[in-house]
Amino acid sequence: MAANSVLLDFSIEPSRIGDELSRKDIVKVFKENLEKYFGNLKIVYDMLIDDGYMCILSDNAGTIFTIRFFGEGLITVNIEYFKKENDSQRISFESTRQLENVLVKELNLLHGQSLPALSRGPIVKYFPTADERIIEYDIDKVLFDKRSEFQKIQIVHSKTLGNMLILDELQNIAEADLIYTQTLMQHGKENYEGKEICILGGGDGALLYELLKENPKHVVMLEIDDLVMEACNKYMNSICGDVLETRKGDNYEIIVGDCMVWIDKYIKDGKKFDYVFGDLTDIPISDTPTGEIWDFIRTILEKSFAVLKPDGKFMTHGNGASCPESLEMYEEQLKKLRPCVKFSRDTAFVPSFMEDWIFYQVTFANQ
Amino acid sequence: MAANSVLLDFSIEPSRIGDELSRKDIVKVFKENLEKYFGNLKIVYDMLIDDGYMCILSDNAGTIFTIRFFGEGLITVNIEYFKKENDSQRISFESTRQLENVLVKELNLLHGQSLPALSRGPIVKYFPTADERIIEYDIDKVLFDKRSEFQKIQIVHSKTLGNMLILDELQNIAEADLIYTQTLMQHGKENYEGKEICILGGGDGALLYELLKENPKHVVMLEIDDLVMEACNKYMNSICGDVLETRKGDNYEIIVGDCMVWIDKYIKDGKKFDYVFGDLTDIPISDTPTGEIWDFIRTILEKSFAVLKPDGKFMTHGNGASCPESLEMYEEQLKKLRPCVKFSRDTAFVPSFMEDWIFYQVTFANQ
């Protein structure tokens, strides 16, 4: 079950309103055309709003139509109704666009736009790009939906992307995202054989699983949220194999805990790695109280470099290519590190993000 | 300028409504939390709808809040206001999600979802996938917007895809879509050198431009809509070069006219081609392969094979991989052709479609 919201918008040369046509004249034309699809409508309420006007209509089936006039000739129409799972749409996208085109023609409007019906209900289908554009995914099932002490964890099924991990309502990784893990680890460009590796985060298990294919000496993965691993172990085996089930093998170990605490321990013990991966969520979660997000990110970087061998590498995901400001800020943090570091970037189109994503490879500057 | 629509939805265990909480209690909690972002709100109207209830609130700045209760515990919230070009959002996506999470927690709701603000106005940003999911593009400018006698033609600018041709409000081709043309022509797999080629449609000029790089004997392009070519010649030169400007060269010619009329002429004259490209409108999404459009598609196929040499090929785009029913119906049409044909398929992720697209290569079955 879901509520369907069908949204249209139009604009009219502002001088025509009041002069040639009243708002009520326009509503009358809208009403007549809507009635071709919905049968008789009645106006249940109308009101003036600042320089605007809003009119609410209804049919006999609980569909509510809101026609609103804004400044500068902008008019929006919302058509909203309850749709049970097997009900058909009360107006198809094709009909919505027909309606739009007839209205534009009949009223000689400047623009018309119609959106495919938005489905509002427990099966969440909309996620944002890095620059906050809306993307509708072909999600048809919610497989897992729990809240851990750290975050909200969902696994949903997408027809084209397979199972998808959603953390705090943001798309994290999907079964179709091998390219994400391969670009993060620079598959084919880095040699992991015999290397010692530390993963900060990485709860979906995909990075650990891919790294183990390359014969490393040892990989330790520090993940705070056991429930993420439980969920991925159940629903994401095509990307994580059995590493989240076994948790420990000859050359790897998953430690459930705050990576900051463990890194501090490694620093104290003088433990060093060939590679450290920053595979944490975009918005950091930690037991350790921290200040601003950028302070936290810089702390991660500082501590990671404190446990890296002189020729070691720190590898991490950045942000969407659509967010150059955010990428610049990250690079500003890199420039603040002492000893100095240098970095390279790589880009990949990540299927479940529906956009290009930037990945960083960072080494000490004197390397 | 645009109207911003910020949409949230929630669900609550239905038995709690009326029993533990009245709808007005719930509205009160919603109102209190909305007021943290918008200041004092007043209820301007409320009404019962079937088994539902709707309440309209407003602030002092023309923001209208619509809280609607549907069956099965579903609640939607729409926040709508007028936004001039340089105005900031009245509620950020981050704040919307905060609000959502606080409400879910405070009222112990079953689900919460918030969508990034939808921008409704003359710069159209939303286009559907083949299976009618909504995708928001990073469109920041409308460069061309005219209606020819055949269709509505727009060229818009996307930050990541470059200029994009929009025909009748559907995304057609963008500057980033070389892969589309290359997959359509099976670049690297077909040898066009010395070949005679006919393009049906192809008004954006990209296919003609790419084919001419391969030294064909001659290419004739039959495009009905001069205005599409005018628009693309002005704004899409990175994909069409100067072919739409010159219109005719030693080994190519663009004919402005109905391709069906020209094909009939070729049939009458006994003219034959090595390749015919169907670069016309998409296969319609329909329940049954009947009606005008499938007849038109079958006619195109029949006539194309009538002007193909015995070892010639018909190449065309199909539909989104998300629409298997539509692809099957197309293949049904292929199976009806006499003499019999056989076909292969190729798939490419087309950047401006934001999805995998299917392309067909069809030959006589006895080849």
Side-chain angles (χ1 to χ4, degrees), chain B residues 52-311:
Chain B
Y53 170 71
M54 187 171 84
C55 180
I56 298 175
L57 301 88
S58 76
D59 67 1
N60 293 320
T63 315
I64 297 287
F65 306 78
T66 309
I67 303 173
R68 184 167 169 193
F69 290 72
F70 294 87
E72 302 183 35
L74 185 65
I75 306 168
T76 60
V77 179
N78 297 3
I79 303 170
E80 303 190 285
Y81 60 88
F82 188 67
K83 183 179 167 297
K84 289 193 185 131
E85 186 151 353
N86 295 317
D87 286 356
S88 55
Q89 293 185 331
R90 291 193 188 164
I91 185 165
S92 68
F93 185 48
E94 200 185 334
S95 296
T96 308
R97 294 183 56 209
Q98 262 170 13
L99 170 68
E100 172 208 329
N101 282 303
V102 167
L103 286 166
V104 167
K105 211 169 156 185
E106 202 166 323
L107 289 164
N108 191 22
L109 303 174
L110 297 175
H111 99 271
Q113 175 175 218
S114 4
L115 278 54
L118 297 160
S119 171
R120 303 165 74 184
I123 298 183
V124 295
K125 298 184 179 189
Y126 306 93
F127 296 99
T129 58
D131 56 341
E132 297 188 356
R133 287 177 289 119
I134 188 172
I135 304 281
E136 180 175 351
Y137 289 76
D138 52 357
I139 290 166
D140 54 5
K141 269 192 298 247
V142 178
L143 301 168
F144 185 95
D145 191 353
K146 283 186 183 167
R147 200 175 276 273
S148 75
E149 73 180 286
F150 307 103
Q151 56 201 337
K152 183 169 164 185
I153 303 160
Q154 293 168 298
I155 294 182
V156 298
H157 177 261
S158 147
K159 287 185 233 172
T160 48
L161 302 167
N163 293 345
M164 265 175 88
L165 173 65
I166 312 287
L167 295 177
D168 279 341
E169 300 179 47
L170 291 177
Q171 58 281 59
N172 199 276
I173 195 167
E175 289 187 288
D177 289 345
L178 180 60
I179 188 72
Y180 177 91
T181 304
Q182 288 190 334
T183 313
L184 174 58
M185 68 190 268
Q186 295 287 288
H187 176 76
K189 296 178 197 166
E190 294 290 332
N191 179 8
Y192 293 101
E193 195 163 342
K195 300 292 167 60
E196 293 186 276
I197 304 168
C198 177
I199 301 173
L200 313 178
D204 55 67
L207 178 59
L208 175 57
Y209 183 57
E210 292 303 317
L211 284 170
L212 289 176
K213 293 177 181 172
E214 316 237 338
N215 275 323
K217 183 176 173 193
H218 193 265
V219 188
V220 63
M221 175 176 136
L222 308 170
E223 169 59 48
I224 203 166
D225 198 341
D226 210 2
L227 195 60
V228 168
M229 293 195 280
E230 224 177 81
C232 292
N233 186 39
K234 192 158 177 191
Y235 294 107
M236 305 287 283
N237 292 108
S238 73
I239 63 163
C240 65
D242 64 352
V243 297
L244 299 176
E245 176 68 30
T246 56
R247 298 282 175 108
K248 193 171 160 54
D250 287 345
N251 62 345
Y252 70 96
E253 182 176 5
I254 296 173
I255 296 173
V256 183
D258 182 343
C259 65
M260 288 297 94
V261 172
W262 281 86
I263 288 263
D264 283 340
K265 184 176 169 319
Y266 295 143
I267 292 171
K268 205 174 138 214
D269 296 350
K271 169 84 190 152
K272 301 272 181 182
F273 296 93
D274 297 292
Y275 291 94
V276 173
F277 282 91
D279 196 11
L280 299 156
T281 51
D282 294 343
I283 302 171
I285 295 164
S286 154
D287 287 338
T288 45
T290 53
E292 281 179 6
I293 297 171
W294 286 105
D295 287 343
F296 178 72
I297 285 171
R298 205 167 45 247
T299 303
I300 298 263
L301 283 163
E302 280 162 3
K303 298 202 177 201
S304 295
F305 276 91
V307 295
L308 268 180
K309 296 180 186 175
D311 60 349

Side-chain angles (χ1 to χ4, degrees), chain A residues 40 59 63 96 108 122 145 154 206 213 225 239 244 298 319:
Chain A
N40 274 353
D59 66 2
T63 313
T96 308
N108 191 22
D145 190 354
Q154 292 167 298
K213 294 178 181 172
D225 198 341
I239 64 164
L244 299 176
R298 202 167 53 248
N319 208 321

Side-chain angles (χ1 to χ4, degrees), chain A residues 35 46 56 67 97 117 119 122 133 163 166 173 175 249 257 289 348:
Chain A
E35 284 177 337
D46 71 345
I56 298 174
I67 303 173
R97 294 182 58 208
S119 170
R133 287 177 288 117
N163 292 347
I166 312 287
I173 195 167
E175 287 187 289

